[in-house]
Amino acid sequence: MAVVSVEHLNKVYESRERRVEAIGDLNFEVRPGDFTCIVGPSGAGKTTLLKCLAGLLAPTRGTVRINGRPVTTPPEEMAIVFQEYGRSLFPWKTVRENVELPLRERGVPKDERRRMVDTALEAVALSHAADSYPWQLSGGMQQRVAIARAVAYQPKVMVLDEPFAAVDAQTRADLEDLMLRLWTELDLTVIFVTHDIDEAVYLGQRVLVLSSSPTRVMDDVPVDIPSPRTQAQTRVEPEFAALRTRVYSGIQAAKGRATNA
Ligand SMILES: Nc1ncnc2c1ncn2[C@@H]1O[C@H](COP(=O)(O)OP(=O)(O)O)[C@@H](O)[C@H]1O
Ligand SMILES: [Mg+2]
């Protein structure tokens, strides 16, 4: 059975001044253990989709299911990492306290909490920074704190919204490899939104290309590049080039649709 299923999802933002149909009619399923990347033009409704998946926003029509259950509130088994990690970490709390927060909210006992935080910090290679404050860390390290916080309570599904958009290229490459390692080691199902085509093909087992609003699925591209992938090798393989061309064309077509609309 699919872990995530999106059925005829439609989302309209309505206010007195305007009406925006952000998502037209979205349909897709995500299998357990898959790494799905989602790309699409800016304003395509990617963040809106993730908010619906995460139970933070109610669909106008249609249903999102996690493990068969319709999502109405934030699902227990899902963790989210947003783009703006700067704003998602509390500056007055240490790294350890930031990672611990969702565990506290879930009422995990103190000793167990400590163990889970230690494991999560170790997984993102930040054990040494446990007692630092987020503002004392680089952008890449801050994003690793956000990732540690997401994996600390051992989610089944991890959803990320353009998480590496604000870091430099080298840091980004390291964070991508960190995500691939966590995906394998922690047996996660990952839904990863990015506007970077190369990143989508490098990370994904599958790339969903969304159209501009009102959004639908333009293309569903299987990525049959073997794992483990490496920054040096994978990106120069002919298969990689062919896939990025296909995704790129899909996005161009999606933009073209918008211009002609
Ligand atoms: N809270 C909101 N109220 C009204 N319109 C919104 C709101 N959030 C997003 N939108 C609109 O919905 C569309 C999709 O936005 P978004 O989901 O942020 O796209 P993406 O993440 O793909 O860039 C855009 O036209 C955006 O302006
Ligand atoms: Mg967005």
PDB file of all heavy atoms in Angstrom, residues 30-65:
ATOM      1  N   VAL A  30       2.940   7.685  -3.259  1.00  0.00           N
ATOM      2  CA  VAL A  30       4.338   7.455  -2.919  1.00  0.00           C
ATOM      3  C   VAL A  30       4.439   6.115  -2.194  1.00  0.00           C
ATOM      4  O   VAL A  30       3.737   5.881  -1.214  1.00  0.00           O
ATOM      5  CB  VAL A  30       4.884   8.591  -2.030  1.00  0.00           C
ATOM      6  CG1 VAL A  30       6.300   8.289  -1.573  1.00  0.00           C
ATOM      7  CG2 VAL A  30       4.836   9.924  -2.782  1.00  0.00           C
ATOM      8  N   ARG A  31       5.295   5.257  -2.727  1.00  0.00           N
ATOM      9  CA  ARG A  31       5.475   3.929  -2.124  1.00  0.00           C
ATOM     10  C   ARG A  31       6.425   4.004  -0.928  1.00  0.00           C
ATOM     11  O   ARG A  31       7.282   4.879  -0.866  1.00  0.00           O
ATOM     12  CB  ARG A  31       6.049   2.959  -3.164  1.00  0.00           C
ATOM     13  CG  ARG A  31       5.074   2.615  -4.282  1.00  0.00           C
ATOM     14  CD  ARG A  31       5.749   1.663  -5.276  1.00  0.00           C
ATOM     15  NE  ARG A  31       7.029   2.206  -5.737  1.00  0.00           N
ATOM     16  CZ  ARG A  31       7.172   2.906  -6.854  1.00  0.00           C
ATOM     17  NH1 ARG A  31       6.131   3.137  -7.632  1.00  0.00           N
ATOM     18  NH2 ARG A  31       8.352   3.378  -7.216  1.00  0.00           N
ATOM     19  N   PRO A  32       6.288   3.019  -0.010  1.00  0.00           N
ATOM     20  CA  PRO A  32       7.165   3.023   1.162  1.00  0.00           C
ATOM     21  C   PRO A  32       8.639   2.954   0.748  1.00  0.00           C
ATOM     22  O   PRO A  32       8.997   2.191  -0.142  1.00  0.00           O
ATOM     23  CB  PRO A  32       6.778   1.747   1.911  1.00  0.00           C
ATOM     24  CG  PRO A  32       5.556   1.223   1.284  1.00  0.00           C
ATOM     25  CD  PRO A  32       5.350   1.888  -0.018  1.00  0.00           C
ATOM     26  N   GLY A  33       9.464   3.781   1.386  1.00  0.00           N
ATOM     27  CA  GLY A  33      10.902   3.729   1.136  1.00  0.00           C
ATOM     28  C   GLY A  33      11.371   4.472  -0.095  1.00  0.00           C
ATOM     29  O   GLY A  33      12.554   4.498  -0.386  1.00  0.00           O
ATOM     30  N   ASP A  34      10.446   5.083  -0.819  1.00  0.00           N
ATOM     31  CA  ASP A  34      10.830   5.829  -2.015  1.00  0.00           C
ATOM     32  C   ASP A  34      11.438   7.186  -1.664  1.00  0.00           C
ATOM     33  O   ASP A  34      11.120   7.755  -0.624  1.00  0.00           O
ATOM     34  CB  ASP A  34       9.600   6.047  -2.908  1.00  0.00           C
ATOM     35  CG  ASP A  34       9.818   5.466  -4.299  1.00  0.00           C
ATOM     36  OD1 ASP A  34      10.907   4.920  -4.549  1.00  0.00           O
ATOM     37  OD2 ASP A  34       8.892   5.563  -5.124  1.00  0.00           O
ATOM     38  N   PHE A  35      12.283   7.689  -2.531  1.00  0.00           N
ATOM     39  CA  PHE A  35      12.794   9.056  -2.421  1.00  0.00           C
ATOM     40  C   PHE A  35      12.225   9.809  -3.621  1.00  0.00           C
ATOM     41  O   PHE A  35      12.675   9.633  -4.745  1.00  0.00           O
ATOM     42  CB  PHE A  35      14.322   9.060  -2.441  1.00  0.00           C
ATOM     43  CG  PHE A  35      14.946  10.329  -1.917  1.00  0.00           C
ATOM     44  CD1 PHE A  35      15.889  10.278  -0.897  1.00  0.00           C
ATOM     45  CD2 PHE A  35      14.599  11.572  -2.439  1.00  0.00           C
ATOM     46  CE1 PHE A  35      16.471  11.436  -0.391  1.00  0.00           C
ATOM     47  CE2 PHE A  35      15.178  12.740  -1.947  1.00  0.00           C
ATOM     48  CZ  PHE A  35      16.122  12.665  -0.925  1.00  0.00           C
ATOM     49  N   THR A  36      11.181  10.581  -3.379  1.00  0.00           N
ATOM     50  CA  THR A  36      10.499  11.291  -4.456  1.00  0.00           C
ATOM     51  C   THR A  36      10.884  12.761  -4.438  1.00  0.00           C
ATOM     52  O   THR A  36      10.760  13.422  -3.410  1.00  0.00           O
ATOM     53  CB  THR A  36       8.966  11.186  -4.279  1.00  0.00           C
ATOM     54  OG1 THR A  36       8.604   9.802  -4.248  1.00  0.00           O
ATOM     55  CG2 THR A  36       8.219  11.890  -5.405  1.00  0.00           C
ATOM     56  N   CYS A  37      11.363  13.267  -5.563  1.00  0.00           N
ATOM     57  CA  CYS A  37      11.632  14.702  -5.658  1.00  0.00           C
ATOM     58  C   CYS A  37      10.505  15.362  -6.437  1.00  0.00           C
ATOM     59  O   CYS A  37       9.960  14.780  -7.382  1.00  0.00           O
ATOM     60  CB  CYS A  37      12.966  14.965  -6.353  1.00  0.00           C
ATOM     61  SG  CYS A  37      14.364  14.507  -5.305  1.00  0.00           S
ATOM     62  N   ILE A  38      10.158  16.566  -6.008  1.00  0.00           N
ATOM     63  CA  ILE A  38       9.109  17.313  -6.689  1.00  0.00           C
ATOM     64  C   ILE A  38       9.700  18.623  -7.189  1.00  0.00           C
ATOM     65  O   ILE A  38      10.281  19.385  -6.412  1.00  0.00           O
ATOM     66  CB  ILE A  38       7.928  17.577  -5.733  1.00  0.00           C
ATOM     67  CG1 ILE A  38       7.310  16.240  -5.299  1.00  0.00           C
ATOM     68  CG2 ILE A  38       6.882  18.478  -6.390  1.00  0.00           C
ATOM     69  CD1 ILE A  38       6.114  16.369  -4.366  1.00  0.00           C
ATOM     70  N   VAL A  39       9.608  18.853  -8.496  1.00  0.00           N
ATOM     71  CA  VAL A  39      10.071  20.123  -9.059  1.00  0.00           C
ATOM     72  C   VAL A  39       8.914  20.790  -9.798  1.00  0.00           C
ATOM     73  O   VAL A  39       7.933  20.139 -10.161  1.00  0.00           O
ATOM     74  CB  VAL A  39      11.261  19.930 -10.043  1.00  0.00           C
ATOM     75  CG1 VAL A  39      12.471  19.349  -9.347  1.00  0.00           C
ATOM     76  CG2 VAL A  39      10.870  19.067 -11.235  1.00  0.00           C
ATOM     77  N   GLY A  40       9.063  22.080 -10.024  1.00  0.00           N
ATOM     78  CA  GLY A  40       8.016  22.811 -10.732  1.00  0.00           C
ATOM     79  C   GLY A  40       8.350  24.278 -10.645  1.00  0.00           C
ATOM     80  O   GLY A  40       9.104  24.689  -9.767  1.00  0.00           O
ATOM     81  N   PRO A  41       7.773  25.085 -11.530  1.00  0.00           N
ATOM     82  CA  PRO A  41       8.079  26.513 -11.542  1.00  0.00           C
ATOM     83  C   PRO A  41       7.728  27.171 -10.209  1.00  0.00           C
ATOM     84  O   PRO A  41       6.906  26.655  -9.454  1.00  0.00           O
ATOM     85  CB  PRO A  41       7.180  27.063 -12.648  1.00  0.00           C
ATOM     86  CG  PRO A  41       6.683  25.893 -13.406  1.00  0.00           C
ATOM     87  CD  PRO A  41       6.781  24.705 -12.531  1.00  0.00           C
ATOM     88  N   SER A  42       8.352  28.294  -9.964  1.00  0.00           N
ATOM     89  CA  SER A  42       8.042  29.067  -8.763  1.00  0.00           C
ATOM     90  C   SER A  42       6.564  29.465  -8.791  1.00  0.00           C
ATOM     91  O   SER A  42       6.037  29.838  -9.836  1.00  0.00           O
ATOM     92  CB  SER A  42       8.949  30.310  -8.758  1.00  0.00           C
ATOM     93  OG  SER A  42       8.630  31.094  -7.657  1.00  0.00           O
ATOM     94  N   GLY A  43       5.896  29.327  -7.675  1.00  0.00           N
ATOM     95  CA  GLY A  43       4.469  29.637  -7.618  1.00  0.00           C
ATOM     96  C   GLY A  43       3.584  28.481  -8.077  1.00  0.00           C
ATOM     97  O   GLY A  43       2.371  28.628  -8.208  1.00  0.00           O
ATOM     98  N   ALA A  44       4.199  27.308  -8.310  1.00  0.00           N
ATOM     99  CA  ALA A  44       3.443  26.162  -8.816  1.00  0.00           C
ATOM    100  C   ALA A  44       2.573  25.503  -7.740  1.00  0.00           C
ATOM    101  O   ALA A  44       1.780  24.620  -8.036  1.00  0.00           O
ATOM    102  CB  ALA A  44       4.390  25.126  -9.418  1.00  0.00           C
ATOM    103  N   GLY A  45       2.760  25.912  -6.499  1.00  0.00           N
ATOM    104  CA  GLY A  45       1.946  25.310  -5.446  1.00  0.00           C
ATOM    105  C   GLY A  45       2.663  24.204  -4.697  1.00  0.00           C
ATOM    106  O   GLY A  45       2.024  23.396  -4.012  1.00  0.00           O
ATOM    107  N   LYS A  46       3.985  24.164  -4.786  1.00  0.00           N
ATOM    108  CA  LYS A  46       4.748  23.101  -4.131  1.00  0.00           C
ATOM    109  C   LYS A  46       4.634  23.207  -2.600  1.00  0.00           C
ATOM    110  O   LYS A  46       4.372  22.215  -1.922  1.00  0.00           O
ATOM    111  CB  LYS A  46       6.223  23.156  -4.566  1.00  0.00           C
ATOM    112  CG  LYS A  46       6.411  23.031  -6.081  1.00  0.00           C
ATOM    113  CD  LYS A  46       7.867  23.031  -6.487  1.00  0.00           C
ATOM    114  CE  LYS A  46       8.594  24.349  -6.258  1.00  0.00           C
ATOM    115  NZ  LYS A  46       8.071  25.495  -7.044  1.00  0.00           N
ATOM    116  N   THR A  47       4.817  24.420  -2.105  1.00  0.00           N
ATOM    117  CA  THR A  47       4.711  24.611  -0.651  1.00  0.00           C
ATOM    118  C   THR A  47       3.280  24.341  -0.188  1.00  0.00           C
ATOM    119  O   THR A  47       3.058  23.714   0.855  1.00  0.00           O
ATOM    120  CB  THR A  47       5.169  26.035  -0.268  1.00  0.00           C
ATOM    121  OG1 THR A  47       6.548  26.171  -0.643  1.00  0.00           O
ATOM    122  CG2 THR A  47       5.033  26.293   1.219  1.00  0.00           C
ATOM    123  N   THR A  48       2.324  24.783  -0.979  1.00  0.00           N
ATOM    124  CA  THR A  48       0.917  24.519  -0.665  1.00  0.00           C
ATOM    125  C   THR A  48       0.661  23.009  -0.567  1.00  0.00           C
ATOM    126  O   THR A  48       0.027  22.540   0.386  1.00  0.00           O
ATOM    127  CB  THR A  48       0.009  25.129  -1.759  1.00  0.00           C
ATOM    128  OG1 THR A  48       0.274  26.525  -1.835  1.00  0.00           O
ATOM    129  CG2 THR A  48      -1.461  24.899  -1.469  1.00  0.00           C
ATOM    130  N   LEU A  49       1.196  22.265  -1.524  1.00  0.00           N
ATOM    131  CA  LEU A  49       1.053  20.803  -1.509  1.00  0.00           C
ATOM    132  C   LEU A  49       1.640  20.212  -0.227  1.00  0.00           C
ATOM    133  O   LEU A  49       0.991  19.395   0.441  1.00  0.00           O
ATOM    134  CB  LEU A  49       1.754  20.208  -2.743  1.00  0.00           C
ATOM    135  CG  LEU A  49       2.020  18.695  -2.717  1.00  0.00           C
ATOM    136  CD1 LEU A  49       0.708  17.910  -2.699  1.00  0.00           C
ATOM    137  CD2 LEU A  49       2.871  18.276  -3.923  1.00  0.00           C
ATOM    138  N   LEU A  50       2.859  20.647   0.126  1.00  0.00           N
ATOM    139  CA  LEU A  50       3.493  20.096   1.329  1.00  0.00           C
ATOM    140  C   LEU A  50       2.695  20.433   2.587  1.00  0.00           C
ATOM    141  O   LEU A  50       2.586  19.615   3.497  1.00  0.00           O
ATOM    142  CB  LEU A  50       4.933  20.592   1.466  1.00  0.00           C
ATOM    143  CG  LEU A  50       5.918  20.094   0.405  1.00  0.00           C
ATOM    144  CD1 LEU A  50       7.350  20.364   0.843  1.00  0.00           C
ATOM    145  CD2 LEU A  50       5.746  18.620   0.114  1.00  0.00           C
ATOM    146  N   LYS A  51       2.136  21.637   2.629  1.00  0.00           N
ATOM    147  CA  LYS A  51       1.319  22.001   3.796  1.00  0.00           C
ATOM    148  C   LYS A  51       0.074  21.122   3.890  1.00  0.00           C
ATOM    149  O   LYS A  51      -0.363  20.770   4.981  1.00  0.00           O
ATOM    150  CB  LYS A  51       0.923  23.476   3.732  1.00  0.00           C
ATOM    151  CG  LYS A  51       2.082  24.399   4.082  1.00  0.00           C
ATOM    152  CD  LYS A  51       1.656  25.848   4.025  1.00  0.00           C
ATOM    153  CE  LYS A  51       2.812  26.770   4.416  1.00  0.00           C
ATOM    154  NZ  LYS A  51       2.534  28.170   4.017  1.00  0.00           N
ATOM    155  N   CYS A  52      -0.490  20.757   2.743  1.00  0.00           N
ATOM    156  CA  CYS A  52      -1.643  19.844   2.754  1.00  0.00           C
ATOM    157  C   CYS A  52      -1.210  18.445   3.211  1.00  0.00           C
ATOM    158  O   CYS A  52      -1.900  17.793   3.999  1.00  0.00           O
ATOM    159  CB  CYS A  52      -2.295  19.762   1.380  1.00  0.00           C
ATOM    160  SG  CYS A  52      -3.114  21.290   0.876  1.00  0.00           S
ATOM    161  N   LEU A  53      -0.023  17.995   2.725  1.00  0.00           N
ATOM    162  CA  LEU A  53       0.487  16.674   3.152  1.00  0.00           C
ATOM    163  C   LEU A  53       0.711  16.640   4.657  1.00  0.00           C
ATOM    164  O   LEU A  53       0.471  15.642   5.321  1.00  0.00           O
ATOM    165  CB  LEU A  53       1.833  16.368   2.475  1.00  0.00           C
ATOM    166  CG  LEU A  53       1.865  16.115   0.976  1.00  0.00           C
ATOM    167  CD1 LEU A  53       3.290  15.815   0.529  1.00  0.00           C
ATOM    168  CD2 LEU A  53       0.957  14.950   0.627  1.00  0.00           C
ATOM    169  N   ALA A  54       1.196  17.781   5.182  1.00  0.00           N
ATOM    170  CA  ALA A  54       1.591  17.828   6.590  1.00  0.00           C
ATOM    171  C   ALA A  54       0.421  18.144   7.515  1.00  0.00           C
ATOM    172  O   ALA A  54       0.597  18.273   8.725  1.00  0.00           O
ATOM    173  CB  ALA A  54       2.697  18.860   6.770  1.00  0.00           C
ATOM    174  N   GLY A  55      -0.755  18.298   6.958  1.00  0.00           N
ATOM    175  CA  GLY A  55      -1.929  18.565   7.785  1.00  0.00           C
ATOM    176  C   GLY A  55      -1.956  19.972   8.347  1.00  0.00           C
ATOM    177  O   GLY A  55      -2.638  20.256   9.334  1.00  0.00           O
ATOM    178  N   LEU A  56      -1.212  20.893   7.712  1.00  0.00           N
ATOM    179  CA  LEU A  56      -1.187  22.275   8.193  1.00  0.00           C
ATOM    180  C   LEU A  56      -2.187  23.145   7.452  1.00  0.00           C
ATOM    181  O   LEU A  56      -2.448  24.280   7.834  1.00  0.00           O
ATOM    182  CB  LEU A  56       0.224  22.866   8.014  1.00  0.00           C
ATOM    183  CG  LEU A  56       1.354  22.111   8.726  1.00  0.00           C
ATOM    184  CD1 LEU A  56       2.712  22.665   8.324  1.00  0.00           C
ATOM    185  CD2 LEU A  56       1.158  22.196  10.238  1.00  0.00           C
ATOM    186  N   LEU A  57      -2.703  22.592   6.364  1.00  0.00           N
ATOM    187  CA  LEU A  57      -3.614  23.352   5.514  1.00  0.00           C
ATOM    188  C   LEU A  57      -4.676  22.377   5.004  1.00  0.00           C
ATOM    189  O   LEU A  57      -4.332  21.274   4.568  1.00  0.00           O
ATOM    190  CB  LEU A  57      -2.795  23.911   4.340  1.00  0.00           C
ATOM    191  CG  LEU A  57      -3.328  25.055   3.508  1.00  0.00           C
ATOM    192  CD1 LEU A  57      -3.539  26.293   4.369  1.00  0.00           C
ATOM    193  CD2 LEU A  57      -2.330  25.375   2.394  1.00  0.00           C
ATOM    194  N   ALA A  58      -5.931  22.768   5.073  1.00  0.00           N
ATOM    195  CA  ALA A  58      -6.995  21.875   4.607  1.00  0.00           C
ATOM    196  C   ALA A  58      -7.181  22.026   3.101  1.00  0.00           C
ATOM    197  O   ALA A  58      -7.232  23.146   2.606  1.00  0.00           O
ATOM    198  CB  ALA A  58      -8.291  22.212   5.332  1.00  0.00           C
ATOM    199  N   PRO A  59      -7.266  20.907   2.372  1.00  0.00           N
ATOM    200  CA  PRO A  59      -7.545  20.994   0.937  1.00  0.00           C
ATOM    201  C   PRO A  59      -8.925  21.605   0.704  1.00  0.00           C
ATOM    202  O   PRO A  59      -9.800  21.485   1.562  1.00  0.00           O
ATOM    203  CB  PRO A  59      -7.545  19.541   0.466  1.00  0.00           C
ATOM    204  CG  PRO A  59      -6.943  18.740   1.556  1.00  0.00           C
ATOM    205  CD  PRO A  59      -7.113  19.527   2.822  1.00  0.00           C
ATOM    206  N   THR A  60      -9.095  22.251  -0.452  1.00  0.00           N
ATOM    207  CA  THR A  60     -10.416  22.745  -0.817  1.00  0.00           C
ATOM    208  C   THR A  60     -11.271  21.559  -1.283  1.00  0.00           C
ATOM    209  O   THR A  60     -12.423  21.410  -0.888  1.00  0.00           O
ATOM    210  CB  THR A  60     -10.300  23.798  -1.945  1.00  0.00           C
ATOM    211  OG1 THR A  60      -9.442  24.835  -1.481  1.00  0.00           O
ATOM    212  CG2 THR A  60     -11.656  24.377  -2.301  1.00  0.00           C
ATOM    213  N   ARG A  61     -10.642  20.705  -2.117  1.00  0.00           N
ATOM    214  CA  ARG A  61     -11.287  19.454  -2.541  1.00  0.00           C
ATOM    215  C   ARG A  61     -10.248  18.350  -2.541  1.00  0.00           C
ATOM    216  O   ARG A  61      -9.051  18.624  -2.607  1.00  0.00           O
ATOM    217  CB  ARG A  61     -11.862  19.589  -3.960  1.00  0.00           C
ATOM    218  CG  ARG A  61     -13.171  20.327  -4.055  1.00  0.00           C
ATOM    219  CD  ARG A  61     -13.886  20.002  -5.395  1.00  0.00           C
ATOM    220  NE  ARG A  61     -12.996  20.146  -6.549  1.00  0.00           N
ATOM    221  CZ  ARG A  61     -12.777  21.294  -7.169  1.00  0.00           C
ATOM    222  NH1 ARG A  61     -13.370  22.403  -6.758  1.00  0.00           N
ATOM    223  NH2 ARG A  61     -11.961  21.361  -8.214  1.00  0.00           N
ATOM    224  N   GLY A  62     -10.686  17.118  -2.540  1.00  0.00           N
ATOM    225  CA  GLY A  62      -9.754  15.999  -2.619  1.00  0.00           C
ATOM    226  C   GLY A  62      -9.220  15.585  -1.269  1.00  0.00           C
ATOM    227  O   GLY A  62      -9.572  16.176  -0.252  1.00  0.00           O
ATOM    228  N   THR A  63      -8.366  14.564  -1.298  1.00  0.00           N
ATOM    229  CA  THR A  63      -7.894  13.957  -0.049  1.00  0.00           C
ATOM    230  C   THR A  63      -6.414  13.647  -0.109  1.00  0.00           C
ATOM    231  O   THR A  63      -5.883  13.293  -1.153  1.00  0.00           O
ATOM    232  CB  THR A  63      -8.617  12.595   0.181  1.00  0.00           C
ATOM    233  OG1 THR A  63      -9.995  12.757  -0.146  1.00  0.00           O
ATOM    234  CG2 THR A  63      -8.482  12.129   1.610  1.00  0.00           C
ATOM    235  N   VAL A  64      -5.766  13.806   1.043  1.00  0.00           N
ATOM    236  CA  VAL A  64      -4.406  13.312   1.215  1.00  0.00           C
ATOM    237  C   VAL A  64      -4.485  12.204   2.245  1.00  0.00           C
ATOM    238  O   VAL A  64      -5.111  12.375   3.296  1.00  0.00           O
ATOM    239  CB  VAL A  64      -3.480  14.430   1.735  1.00  0.00           C
ATOM    240  CG1 VAL A  64      -2.112  13.872   2.077  1.00  0.00           C
ATOM    241  CG2 VAL A  64      -3.373  15.551   0.720  1.00  0.00           C
ATOM    242  N   ARG A  65      -3.883  11.063   1.943  1.00  0.00           N
ATOM    243  CA  ARG A  65      -3.860   9.964   2.909  1.00  0.00           C
ATOM    244  C   ARG A  65      -2.433   9.599   3.270  1.00  0.00           C
ATOM    245  O   ARG A  65      -1.565   9.564   2.400  1.00  0.00           O
ATOM    246  CB  ARG A  65      -4.507   8.711   2.308  1.00  0.00           C
ATOM    247  CG  ARG A  65      -5.993   8.764   2.241  1.00  0.00           C
ATOM    248  CD  ARG A  65      -6.517   7.510   1.530  1.00  0.00           C
ATOM    249  NE  ARG A  65      -7.776   7.820   0.858  1.00  0.00           N
ATOM    250  CZ  ARG A  65      -8.949   7.830   1.485  1.00  0.00           C
ATOM    251  NH1 ARG A  65      -9.016   7.513   2.760  1.00  0.00           N
ATOM    252  NH2 ARG A  65     -10.035   8.147   0.831  1.00  0.00           N
TER     253      ARG A  65
END
